[in-house]
Amino acid sequence: MSTVYLGLGSNIDARQNIVGGIGCLREAFHRVDLSPVYQTPSFGFEGEDFINLVARIEAETGPLELKGFLQALEDRHGRDRQAPKFSDRTLDIDILLYDDLYLASPALSIPRGEILTAAHVLKPLADLAPDLVHPVCRQTIAEIWNSFPKQNTALKEIYL
């Protein structure tokens, strides 16, 4: 069994899609733990605010099989795969960390780069797993968050 951290986000019917996505994760996996939920402005385009959080799951599948499952879950929630990278999302679920795995392929990169660059990914991950060690930079997630430049981090904790 592998411990996997997932980043979830939505800005189209965000509460409904996030709650639906969490429900599907709970049906599929033995264990699902959630971070606090944050509202953040859209980035790279004009759009509604996003709702973001991190989930920790226990998975029995490999990372590529898990990615396929997560993409199917996104699709069931109306994900438009033809949309530009920076655009509105019904449901976006990314594999952030998969045990201590380092994977760099065209199909999937683990750990996800946004852990080190995006407050909406790093902060909920730090809330959920502060003592977890990043497999590449070898710092704890709390240490990474504590050194993260916070002047442009418009995070607002919310409740679903």
Side-chain angles (χ1 to χ4, degrees), residues 26-105:
R26 290 202 164 145
E27 289 174 9
F29 299 100
H30 301 293
R31 176 181 172 192
V32 178
D33 300 312
L34 302 174
S35 73
V37 180
Y38 291 93
Q39 181 177 334
T40 60
S42 59
F43 177 79
F45 69 100
E46 292 292 324
E48 296 296 318
D49 288 351
F50 274 82
I51 292 177
N52 295 285
L53 71 146
V54 168
R56 176 176 44 221
I57 64 169
E58 298 292 328
E60 295 179 4
T61 61
L64 291 175
E65 187 179 346
L66 178 60
K67 179 183 176 187
F69 169 82
L70 296 172
Q71 286 182 330
L73 177 59
E74 293 171 338
D75 292 346
R76 285 196 315 266
H77 283 82
R79 174 73 183 262
D80 177 4
R81 300 238 171 252
Q82 305 305 313
K85 176 178 173 138
F86 295 109
S87 63
D88 295 313
R89 296 275 192 268
T90 55
L91 185 61
D92 186 30
I93 306 176
D94 298 314
I95 300 172
L96 304 176
L97 295 161
Y98 187 104
D99 287 333
D100 286 333
L101 181 67
Y102 174 78
L103 177 64
S105 77

Side-chain angles (χ1 to χ4, degrees), residues 15-28:
R15 289 178 192 275
Q16 176 183 335
N17 283 310
I18 290 292
V19 169
I22 292 168
C24 291
L25 292 175
R26 290 202 164 145
E27 289 174 9

Side-chain angles (χ1 to χ4, degrees), residues 2 8-10 16 23 25-26 36 43 45 81 88 91-93 95 108 112 117-118 120 126-127 141 145 150 153:
S2 296
L8 288 81
S10 175
Q16 176 183 335
L25 292 175
R26 290 202 164 145
F43 177 79
F45 69 100
R81 300 238 171 252
D88 295 313
L91 185 61
D92 186 30
I93 306 176
I95 300 172
L108 183 60
R112 186 125 178 128
T117 62
H120 69 272
D127 291 337
I141 300 301
W145 174 248
K150 299 186 182 60
T153 56

